[in-house]
Amino acid sequence: MNMYVDVLVEIKNKHVDKTFTYKVPKSLEADVEVGKRVVVPFGKMTLEGYILNRKDQSDIETKEILEVIDEEPVLNVEMMTLGTFVQEKTLASLSACYGAMLPKALKAKKSVTLSKKMVSYLKLAMGYEEIYAKLTNDSQKRILELFQQEDLVLKKEANKISASAVKTMLKKEYIEQLEEEVYRYQLKEVEKEAKKIFTPAQEKAYQKIKEELNTEKVFLLHGVTGSGKTEVYLQLIEDVLNLGKTALVLVPEISLTSQLTERFHKRFGNNIAVLHSGLSDAERYDEWRKILREEVSIVIGARSAVFAPLKNIGIIIMDEEHSESYKQENNPRYHALDIAKKRAETHHCPVILGSATPSLSSMARAIKGVYQYVPLLERANQKKLPNILIVDMALEVQNRHPILSRELECKIIEKLNKNEQVMLLLNRRGHSTTITCSNCGYTYRCPHCDISLTYHKSSNQLRCHYCGYTKYKDDRCPNCHEDALNYLGLGTEKLEEYLGNVFPTARIIRMDRDSTTTKGMHEKIITDFYDHKYDILLGTQMVSKGLDFPHVSLVGILNADASLNIPDYRSNERTFSLLCQASGRAGRKDTTGEVIIQTFYPDNFIMQCVKEQNYQKFCKYELNIRKTLKYPPFYYLCNLTIRSKDYEEAVKEARKAKEFLETKLDKTSLLLGPTTANMFLVNKVYHFEILIKYKSDEKLISALKELDEMCLLNSKIALDIDFLS
Ligand code: ADP
Ligand code: ZN
């Protein structure tokens, strides 16, 4: 009997997003298994693909597979189902979905080959005394002595004494050599830490969840900053491990993983795998295999860790659940929450969503009783929430204090004098946001995009934050050649420079995307600031989230309005959450924290809610607006982007798409647009958007699939489908 397999080939083209049947030559039959990768002929090419099915018959003449790549399947049964699930949720291609799930080294792509890191050990091949009796050479004796303490000696160590002696001893078969794999990513050594005694509020929250560990319920743990959510997670995980199960912990981004990982590490030792973008491909590959081999029971990681191949999951935790980084912004555009819930169903385990400022959609579900609401509304150490002062920047600008208000400047001096630490948030990287000529009015703009270029002083370059275009700055205006270039707008780099001038003795460190490009830089900045090697930490929203620095007693937020003015239905929510999160960094240990927020809209309702730290008030207000304007959580949103280098073509196709949908969709669905996108012109490509608001529309998916097919036929345009909620 013959053997056949259905193979999903990895090729960047939606037209071929289906499986092809291949015959398995007799010589490879034993190696073939569903979930492994194979090399197959495809037209004139050879491609890699995943085996999705095995069968004994084929109706058609088929080619043969050329090679089986893996010893063990890279996709297990659960992951194969998850791939299909992601495809249904996002309408992306199946191979893109599997691609998003796997670390680079295990994707079906020809370019990457990674090997395991092996280390050689030496072992005695006969009794110690027996060997000793035969030795005449001193080096050999010294090598033998290494085995008095250890059974296994690193070959590298023995070679240090004498490589030739090692060679001889191996040849004479006194000792033998063995190879063992070592994992490239190693956790730092830390001291174990005992669990803390819960506060009554923590105890109550913990009990409520613990009673339901064998359900698939979703819990919304609403804990104010510093309420001790992490302690609750740790205890729940311990319970789950005691039941012989595993735990999946998601954090929004890499800046948070290091502190959290350390706390987990202190509690659970080496029983942890870590997956985030700060690891090299090789480290990721190793961490992934640790999980596959069931050598660890806890996985901590960012968004894509939701696909970690853990077995027997007992709890899934999404910390800072409101974070937008849980949504992937390119294909497949999945939300980690959907995947988490799907896996929770498969494993019959709960999902815990933790946040100080829950997303409105989660809160609405909690209000409806779809999620279980677990409040944790006091700080664990009885510290009061920080005092917040709102400063009107209109006055400060008049008084020539446009960067730091007088209040903030005085406070910083006061804190520095008391040897306390300060954090400053400025959500804009670079030095100046525009350079303009004061003689002729010339402004540097990106030649490919619709925005002005940001100046980065450290590299003396102008950079486009949309497409990455860079050019060196000229000494004189490139238009009128006058020496009249002006640096406008404040970025983190300029702020750092400014602070250095105002507080010359303070030790200042900056954390943003530019200062953390080298590997491990993130962790270093956080650790150094934690160890009080710096007095002031300034940075973009990277510094706002989740970090726990006991000696920070003042947080200053410099451009609190920046996120308020972005035209997006989530602007209020984003602003409220960013300001509360940032404020929560102050006064976590011995002092009551102080927060100064600089704004041009001191009377804005959101600012008032932040000042009072009143989530309920904000929530009620914002839900009302969302209801009136038909936005989530009252309507679902799907955003379509039509892209083209050809302006006319983009306009025409966007209009056509809208007309098509009008005829197809349910009457209860609303169509807005086409309008120009926020990022209208990026890299010489024009972007138009159509927004669909819907409640339940059975015709939506089939209509979108049909539209997608239609757009594929026009090579001048591309369509992106993005389910926003
Ligand atoms: P959250 O994650 O809610 O912001 P954390 O778990 O980071 O809060 O706790 C804030 C601080 O309070 C941490 O320094 C933590 O060690 C401490 N803490 C938490 N729970 C307790 C407790 N029960 N007793 C003493 N200290 C606690
Ligand atoms: Zn650009």
Side-chain angles (χ1 to χ4, degrees), residues 33 168 202 359 384 405 432 508 608:
E33 213 175 323
T168 316
Q202 279 174 318
S359 68
K384 279 193 278 170
S405 59
S432 325
I508 301 167
Q608 292 307 316

Side-chain angles (χ1 to χ4, degrees), residues 406-500:
R406 288 160 296 176
E407 285 89 344
L408 186 51
E409 191 175 318
C410 287
K411 270 287 170 226
I412 295 176
I413 294 169
E414 180 192 319
K415 299 298 176 189
L416 292 176
N417 285 339
K418 286 203 265 179
N419 200 24
E420 292 171 359
Q421 287 178 297
V422 176
M423 281 172 78
L424 298 177
L425 173 75
L426 174 67
N427 213 355
R428 243 195 195 160
R429 65 200 174 91
H431 182 269
S432 325
T433 43
T434 33
I435 295 190
T436 303
C437 172
S438 56
N439 183 47
C440 74
Y442 175 86
T443 305
Y444 279 100
R445 299 182 70 80
C446 176
H448 314 297
C449 304
D450 190 25
I451 57 161
S452 54
L453 296 173
T454 301
Y455 177 53
H456 289 253
K457 194 171 180 183
S458 54
S459 54
N460 196 33
Q461 275 178 337
L462 292 147
R463 218 173 285 165
C464 171
H465 285 187
Y466 282 4
C467 74
Y469 167 85
T470 55
K471 82 182 283 306
Y472 283 103
K473 186 184 77 71
D474 312 280
D475 293 331
R476 292 168 167 268
C477 171
N479 186 43
C480 70
H481 308 289
E482 281 297 312
D483 183 9
L485 290 177
N486 258 330
Y487 302 81
L488 304 177
L490 179 66
T492 43
E493 245 183 77
K494 198 200 263 181
L495 177 62
E496 185 182 21
E497 198 176 282
Y498 178 83
L499 293 171

Side-chain angles (χ1 to χ4, degrees), residues 205-262:
Y206 161 70
Q207 286 298 342
K208 189 163 175 184
I209 302 171
K210 184 182 158 88
E211 279 164 23
E212 315 249 24
L213 280 181
N214 52 1
T215 68
E216 294 152 28
K217 288 185 182 167
V218 180
F219 293 88
L220 178 60
L221 179 58
H222 182 189
V224 294
T225 51
S227 60
K229 290 185 293 293
T230 313
E231 287 300 320
V232 175
Y233 303 153
L234 289 168
Q235 192 52 47
L236 288 167
I237 290 172
E238 189 170 318
D239 296 339
V240 162
L241 299 191
N242 286 338
L243 295 170
K245 297 184 184 177
T246 63
L248 177 56
V249 183
L250 301 175
V251 281
E253 47 210 310
I254 158 180
S255 55
L256 284 183
T257 42
S258 56
Q259 273 204 348
L260 199 73
T261 307
E262 187 168 320

